[in-house]
Amino acid sequence: MVSPSTPEQLSPSPFTVINVGAELFAEALRAQGVTVTSVAWRPPAGDPAALARLLADPAIDRANEIAVGRMLAAEPVLVDVQPARTLIPLFREAEGGYALLHAGPPISWERMCGPMRGAIIGACLYEGWAGNEEEATQLAETGRITFAPCHHYHAVGPMAGIVSPSMPLLIVEDRVHGNRTFAPLNEGLGKVLRYGAYAPEVIERLRWMQEVLGPALSRALRHIGGLDLRSLLAQALQMGDEGHNRNKAATSLFLRQLAPALVETGTSSAETASVLRFIASNDHFHLNPSMAAAKAMTLAGSNVPNSSVVVTMARNGVDFGIRVSGLGERWFVGPAQSIQGLYFAGFGPEDANPDIGDSAITETAGLGAFAMAGAPAIVQFIGGTPADALRYTREMYALTVTTNPQFSLPPLNFQGTPTGIDIRQVCRLNLPPVINTGIAHRLPGIGQVGAGIVHPPMECFISALQALADSRQTT
Amino acid sequence: MVIQAQVRRRTYVDSITLMQIATALKRLPGVENAAAVMATEANLQLLAEAGLHPGGVTAGAEDLLLVVKATIPEAAEQALQAAEELLTARQPKQTLLHDGEFSLAASTQPPHSLEEAVRRQPEARLAMISVPGPYAALEAELALRTGLHVFLFSDNVPLQEEIALKQLAQQRGLLLMGPDCGTALLNGVGLGFVNVVPRGPIGIVGASGTGIQQVMSLIAQQGSGVSQVIGSGGRDLSREVGALTTLAGIRLLLEDEDTRVIVLVSKPPAPEVAARVIEEAASGSKAVVTCFLGADHEALEQRYGSRVVVARTLTDAATLAVQLAATPASYHAATTPASAIAARLERLRQTCAVSSASGYLVGLFAGGTLCDEAMQLWSTLLGPVYSNIPLEPAWRLRESSLTALPGHCAIDFGADEYTRGRPHPMIDPSLRLQALETVADNPRVSVVLLDLVLGYCAHPDPAAIYAPVIAGLHRRGPRPAIVVSLCGTEGDPQRLSAQAARLQEAGATVLTSNAEAALHCVQLLYEQEESGGLA
């Protein structure tokens, strides 16, 4: 038995107390001249007894160190752009070749939201599987199309996230762990497939991307031997991007690094100019490479036994799903939430689709809202103040296992971004991670109607925590 | 009558604050009833029972729900507006960034967790935890693992969790006071419900908050002082818990150079636990006073009387401790001082033996231990005392309305059935005031005994609430007589003498010893009988 404390050990002067609960007690202590820090306590989520066990479990702490160590060690390099059918095994396996990837956790056609259905119709038209909307809808309704989440094939797609076999995919290679991750090319704003548009100009643009943009990027990337995305993102964060809703700096850096090679490997000056113009006119072009890089980082941290670190956060417009490193491929889902933010002129909350897209992979990797302290300009877009941006990032340090020294934030004295969301802390603090995101119109084809802040539903974390508790009991 | 509700999503406010807000709203013009609760299923059920359930409002356990029942919509709206202001005023102190200000300074937000608070304030040594019971063990465990001593006010912590926490504290050489600990004082700093007393030679380890407050207040009133007070929590001396905290507290007092006398305050411990505790306490060179209310004192004296002083009331415990502390030699049984309470009890016993009284005594208590002590004394002299915390199962008071009384009664308003969904009577006197008026209307009631506990965390000015009511009753006639057991000190924020003066002016007899107050009630009962019996 340890010898009991002496009174001196018990309360050295000055007496300092942490108060958790009723403020009455803190006030009484302050009246006696005691320094008191009051905790802004909220009841934790989930079973408190299970939470207490998991928080005290050193095996989980060790596993988390490994998981985040791998996330930080990953070296995502953009190496090539190739057609999806050569990269996604599902497209070779599916019967009749009818297969599509979508954003978020698994979902059936019957439960899909408007923008996702619209994007599927567009993909059917683009692939020539249907001649019109009715035929495409029928194809989907009769169950002939195999649907699978992008994440099941190490791919990530913004908004509806529909990937079809002919689409060109960015290939990101993790030079340390050897993983490859994928993302489609960004189409720009307005009427675009990822928001569910399938008008002729949408299909036409997709074909140009397949025939011109994809091959041009492929040649240029091979020519320069790949583009180090980690370094590019680190610079972009210091230039006011957060890597999710603001991609202006990253897109500019991308263009600066790739432009000479695009020219050198271009087939004609007119074609090269169209490629350069397309990238330069889309501030969000680099969202997709950033997402693939984030996916490469989180994939590296996946499948570490006992780890409570979140490696996937993704939404399909109906469900929000997370996956946890130590819990394998299992999804933990809850209802996709509505987004709090600002709407473009003429639109309002009644037009909004619930949260959608794989782009929350950026927050999962410590970017996006987690890096908002470095992107004060973005708060105007989502309706807040620079102080809010600092607050969001600061709050996330409480949820994460580590900081990423490669992604440093000047306004926080070059502290690294909070990285590696621990489901134990999310439940303990009852504080879901924060995500920056765009708002899609609930009807197909109208496009983005605003932007804002959203949170995953706590259910995801509560059920994942229970699963982790169960898995620790049986081991 | 209209019911209006307001939901604050994902907002947590502690129940004490919420109940104070609800009480404030009920006093607003046009407001019939009001509630401020976290919208848990249990609370929604309580709202429904109170006729306050707002139909059509969806709120969950994480949401704060304000409900107002008022005569007109405007009154309800004004009350909700007032609630908003009260809530804002009650936020933990923090510096707010002005809108739009871009600051590189350290975070101005309050910490979200105990661990974060410790990171910001690494010199912290103690955690004060009062979150709802189901979550208390988690917070306490994290505090202990972070290396903090813990004052755990929360109750409803499962027994197994209490044992595990106390074992963890023991392994780490830390002190876990509670769960269900109300009072402590460490190196001059009071924790929880506690009186302001001078530093002195007497250390107290106790399982009962108001019991400790009574002893420490009487010690101060007799000119002595207190070294350390360690609260152990109500179940610490059970067989299951095995007095882990009490034993740690005793060892701490044995090592403390400033402590010369150790006082142990509790309900009767499990016999084998009592033996261990007394052995431990008597193992040093310090005098030991035990005050196990309701125990078989003869048996205790027989078994341990050569090693410890057995006090039968809290008042005796304080008086004996002060006398022992003033004795230079170490304690010897032969030096045991006499008890004034015992002498008075004996005189009253003779009175009771020769005549009987037809009037009733009614005790309305905020402190459970004070209620218990009064019942012990009354039942010794007068037989059955009916109560919600009865000494004998047959004396359980079934009627909670207090309109019809079966005989002498003592009610503990701090018990669960009176504190569900409302603040403890030491903070909010409203329920007990209602009861006072009800029993005063009963012609059979001769004497009413009220305990008022002063000190930190208690009501800031109980005399301001009780004196006008007592004065009103006094003006109506001599019966019932009102006796106040006033527990406090001159150093308390409410100041003992100022409170006593106003209560006496209103017509109450004020005594600072609960045991003496209880005996005085018996004496008044007989004096009233002699002066003319029932009105």
Side-chain angles (χ1 to χ4, degrees):
Chain A
M1 186 187 292
V2 179
S3 70
S5 329
T6 67
E8 287 68 34
Q9 284 173 323
L10 197 62
S11 56
S13 191
F15 202 104
T16 308
V17 174
I18 309 286
N19 187 54
V20 191
E23 201 43 27
L24 174 75
F25 296 116
E27 282 162 15
L29 285 163
R30 289 194 189 102
Q32 298 174 72
V34 174
T35 308
V36 186
T37 298
S38 286
V39 173
W41 187 84
R42 261 203 299 256
D47 171 19
L51 190 53
R53 271 202 311 282
L54 295 174
L55 282 165
D57 190 340
I60 296 176
D61 293 330
R62 284 195 299 272
N64 287 351
E65 288 303 321
I66 295 171
V68 296
R70 290 181 187 164
M71 279 169 72
L72 297 193
E75 282 179 23
V77 177
L78 181 59
V79 293
D80 202 351
V81 175
Q82 290 295 323
R85 70 164 51 80
T86 66
L87 304 171
I88 307 295
L90 176 69
F91 293 150
R92 294 193 292 272
E93 295 154 6
E95 202 178 320
Y98 297 131
L100 294 173
L101 302 186
H102 62 77
I107 187 168
S108 63
W109 169 262
E110 289 71 31
R111 294 185 64 240
M112 284 178 188
C113 66
M116 188 170 277
R117 286 182 171 206
I120 284 167
I121 292 166
C124 291
L125 299 174
Y126 164 67
E127 292 291 344
W129 297 342
N132 55 43
E133 183 191 331
E134 288 72 36
E135 286 177 28
T137 307
Q138 205 181 1
L139 196 65
E141 277 175 352
T142 51
R144 292 180 62 196
I145 305 175
T146 306
F147 295 113
C150 290
H151 272 288
H152 289 186
Y153 295 92
H154 300 173
V156 278
M159 289 294 152
I162 297 301
V163 175
S164 72
S166 305
M167 287 182 189
L169 290 184
L170 296 158
I171 303 172
V172 169
E173 214 169 80
D174 174 355
R175 289 269 158 93
V176 172
H177 304 99
N179 297 320
R180 292 209 303 176
T181 58
F182 314 104
L185 297 171
N186 195 289
E187 313 158 75
L189 289 172
K191 287 201 170 180
V192 287
L193 188 81
R194 70 176 188 282
Y195 282 100
Y198 51 85
E201 74 252 38
V202 176
I203 309 302
E204 211 169 292
R205 188 189 305 111
L206 288 174
R207 262 196 251 293
W208 174 83
M209 290 166 74
Q210 175 189 339
E211 285 158 12
V212 177
L213 180 63
L217 289 171
S218 171
R219 289 192 302 272
L221 285 166
R222 284 162 177 249
H223 185 69
I224 62 168
L227 189 58
D228 178 354
L229 291 181
R230 189 169 67 172
S231 147
L232 188 149
L233 277 165
Q235 294 172 64
L237 290 190
Q238 306 219 345
M239 296 165 68
D241 276 7
E242 38 69 280
H244 185 170
N245 255 16
R246 191 180 196 272
N247 302 288
K248 213 179 263 254
T251 301
S252 305
L253 290 169
F254 178 84
L255 198 58
R256 192 172 76 168
Q257 296 204 36
L258 217 58
L262 281 169
V263 172
E264 280 164 5
T265 60
T267 52
S268 76
S269 60
E271 207 177 271
T272 305
S274 72
V275 167
L276 289 169
R277 198 172 289 120
F278 182 82
I279 299 171
S281 64
N282 177 7
D283 281 343
H284 288 297
F285 187 83
H286 204 275
L287 170 62
N288 300 36
S290 297
M291 285 171 60
K295 177 65 187 172
M297 291 175 64
T298 55
L299 184 59
S302 300
N303 294 309
V304 177
N306 301 326
S307 169
S308 58
V309 167
V310 176
V311 290
T312 305
M313 292 198 288
R315 318 83 104 193
N316 57 31
V318 178
D319 304 316
F320 194 116
I322 68 166
R323 293 190 297 180
V324 176
S325 179
L327 297 170
E329 304 302 310
R330 200 168 146 193
W331 289 92
F332 300 93
V333 298
Q337 305 291 295
S338 54
I339 296 149
Q340 306 135 36
L342 293 183
Y343 288 85
F344 300 159
F347 296 103
E350 64 284 1
D351 300 313
N353 198 78
D355 195 18
I356 183 168
D358 285 336
S359 55
I361 196 68
T362 55
E363 277 82 8
T364 319
L367 296 165
F370 283 46
M372 210 148 62
I378 201 165
V379 295
Q380 287 186 301
F381 197 42
I382 58 171
T385 65
D388 291 329
L390 289 175
R391 181 166 56 82
Y392 285 126
T393 296
R394 282 208 178 102
E395 282 187 350
M396 293 303 105
Y397 286 109
L399 300 185
T400 48
V401 176
T402 192
T403 59
N404 187 343
Q406 295 151 118
F407 295 157
S408 70
L409 298 167
L412 295 181
N413 199 20
F414 296 95
Q415 192 174 3
T417 62
T419 305
I421 302 160
D422 184 345
I423 58 168
R424 296 177 303 173
Q425 295 303 335
V426 174
C427 290
R428 157 115 170 85
L429 302 174
N430 204 339
L431 180 70
V434 60
I435 295 166
N436 280 352
T437 199
I439 306 173
H441 200 286
R442 64 190 167 79
L443 299 175
I446 295 177
Q448 187 174 3
V449 295
I453 294 286
V454 74
H455 301 280
M458 281 303 297
E459 290 97 305
C460 304
F461 299 94
I462 293 168
S463 53
L465 187 88
Q466 197 54 56
L468 188 64
D470 295 344
S471 82
R472 290 301 293 149
Q473 292 249 297
T474 54
T475 52
Chain B
M1 202 59 68
V2 292
I3 292 182
Q4 287 199 10
Q6 194 183 326
V7 181
R8 290 185 143 206
R9 303 278 170 209
R10 294 188 55 75
T11 301
Y12 176 82
V13 177
D14 71 80
S15 59
I16 295 178
T17 301
L18 288 178
M19 292 183 292
Q20 287 171 331
I21 287 170
T23 306
L25 296 187
K26 283 179 211 167
R27 295 200 197 104
L28 294 174
V31 174
E32 169 96 346
N33 203 350
V37 294
M38 297 307 294
T40 59
E41 274 179 36
N43 282 339
L44 291 173
Q45 182 66 35
L46 288 172
L47 288 185
E49 284 166 17
L52 270 176
H53 195 288
V57 171
T58 52
E62 297 175 359
D63 304 326
L64 170 56
L65 178 61
L66 300 162
V67 189
V68 177
K69 188 176 183 185
T71 47
I72 49 170
E74 289 73 25
E77 276 156 28
Q78 275 172 12
L80 288 173
Q81 179 67 34
E84 184 83 20
E85 284 158 21
L86 287 167
L87 280 167
T88 313
R90 293 295 304 231
Q91 292 299 310
K93 311 284 176 294
Q94 58 168 299
T95 327
L96 289 169
L97 275 180
H98 294 297
D99 193 31
E101 187 184 335
F102 191 74
S103 167
L104 305 187
S107 175
T108 51
Q109 296 292 315
H112 280 102
S113 68
L114 184 128
E115 302 92 296
E116 196 189 333
V118 172
R119 275 197 294 278
R120 289 197 205 172
Q121 203 161 54
E123 69 276 18
R125 299 304 299 272
L126 185 131
M128 183 98 202
I129 298 171
S130 55
V131 301
Y135 310 111
L138 169 62
E139 297 295 332
E141 178 171 343
L142 290 166
L144 291 170
R145 290 191 187 282
T146 318
L148 298 177
H149 302 289
V150 175
F151 180 101
L152 185 52
F153 177 77
S154 315
D155 55 4
N156 296 317
V157 173
L159 183 65
Q160 287 314 311
E161 290 183 13
E162 174 171 347
I163 294 168
L165 286 172
K166 287 186 169 173
Q167 286 169 345
L168 179 64
Q170 191 179 46
Q171 283 161 21
R172 308 232 160 183
L174 294 167
L175 196 58
L176 173 77
M177 292 175 280
D180 198 15
C181 175
T183 304
L185 186 144
L186 301 175
N187 287 1
V189 172
L191 300 167
F193 292 81
V194 62
N195 301 93
V196 179
V197 299
R199 300 291 291 268
I202 301 167
I204 304 172
V205 183
S208 138
T210 45
I212 294 173
Q213 284 193 278
Q214 171 79 157
V215 172
M216 72 196 290
S217 292
L218 293 175
I219 287 171
Q221 285 170 35
Q222 290 170 55
S224 188
V226 166
S227 55
Q228 314 287 344
V229 175
I230 289 119
S232 63
R235 281 189 308 221
D236 191 61
L237 294 153
S238 66
R239 184 177 294 111
E240 294 80 1
V241 182
L244 286 171
T245 298
T246 301
L247 291 169
I250 289 170
R251 284 190 285 268
L252 193 137
L253 293 180
L254 287 173
E255 286 192 19
D256 178 25
E257 285 176 5
D258 295 337
T259 303
R260 294 182 39 216
V261 178
I262 297 173
V263 182
L264 304 175
V265 181
S266 158
K267 290 195 175 139
E272 67 269 40
V273 177
R276 279 190 69 192
V277 166
I278 291 174
E279 293 298 334
E280 185 75 37
S283 68
S285 58
K286 302 186 180 189
V288 178
V289 178
T290 64
C291 181
F292 298 146
L293 286 180
D296 181 346
H297 294 113
E298 312 289 339
L300 278 175
E301 241 154 32
Q302 224 162 34
R303 185 149 175 215
Y304 303 108
S306 63
R307 312 187 60 189
V308 302
V309 176
V310 178
R312 298 182 179 212
T313 61
L314 299 162
T315 303
D316 285 339
T319 308
L320 296 171
V322 171
Q323 289 178 15
L324 287 168
T327 312
S330 67
Y331 165 71
H332 185 267
T335 65
T336 305
S339 157
I341 298 290
R344 180 134 192 230
L345 186 65
E346 201 40 55
R347 283 199 301 278
L348 279 168
R349 205 194 294 276
Q350 286 159 16
T351 311
C352 297
V354 293
S355 62
S356 66
S358 53
Y360 293 161
L361 299 183
V362 176
L364 303 175
F365 285 91
T369 302
L370 302 181
C371 182
D372 198 55
E373 184 181 59
M375 289 195 297
Q376 304 279 353
L377 293 166
W378 286 357
S379 65
T380 303
L381 296 168
L382 303 168
V385 179
Y386 298 90
S387 176
N388 59 331
I389 52 161
L391 299 177
E392 306 280 343
W395 299 349
R396 179 165 291 283
L397 191 65
R398 308 214 175 269
E399 196 65 43
S400 62
S401 68
L402 299 181
T403 43
L405 301 173
H408 307 297
C409 292
I411 317 295
D412 173 18
F413 282 88
D416 285 349
E417 64 263 41
Y418 292 106
T419 53
R420 215 170 282 131
R422 66 172 73 242
H424 194 276
M426 274 165 71
I427 301 172
D428 177 2
S430 49
L431 199 63
R432 198 155 61 126
L433 277 174
Q434 273 175 29
L436 173 59
E437 306 221 24
T438 305
V439 298
D441 282 340
N442 187 329
R444 296 290 303 261
V445 174
S446 294
V447 186
V448 178
L449 174 59
L450 294 166
D451 65 336
L452 293 185
V453 182
L454 309 180
Y456 284 117
C457 297
H459 191 283
D461 188 3
I465 307 290
Y466 285 94
V469 177
I470 292 169
L473 296 175
H474 195 63
R475 274 194 298 274
R476 284 189 349 202
R479 278 166 56 101
I482 309 286
V483 178
V484 173
S485 160
L486 184 60
C487 176
T489 68
E490 277 307 284
D492 284 336
Q494 304 91 341
R495 221 171 113 229
L496 179 70
S497 59
Q499 294 286 318
R502 283 149 75 196
L503 293 162
Q504 275 161 347
E505 207 175 298
T509 306
V510 179
L511 291 155
T512 57
S513 151
N514 186 61
E516 281 182 21
L519 294 181
H520 186 70
C521 290
V522 179
Q523 191 175 327
L524 283 178
L525 176 71
Y526 279 93
E527 283 173 9
Q528 291 206 350
E529 301 287 328
E530 282 164 22
S531 69
L534 282 175

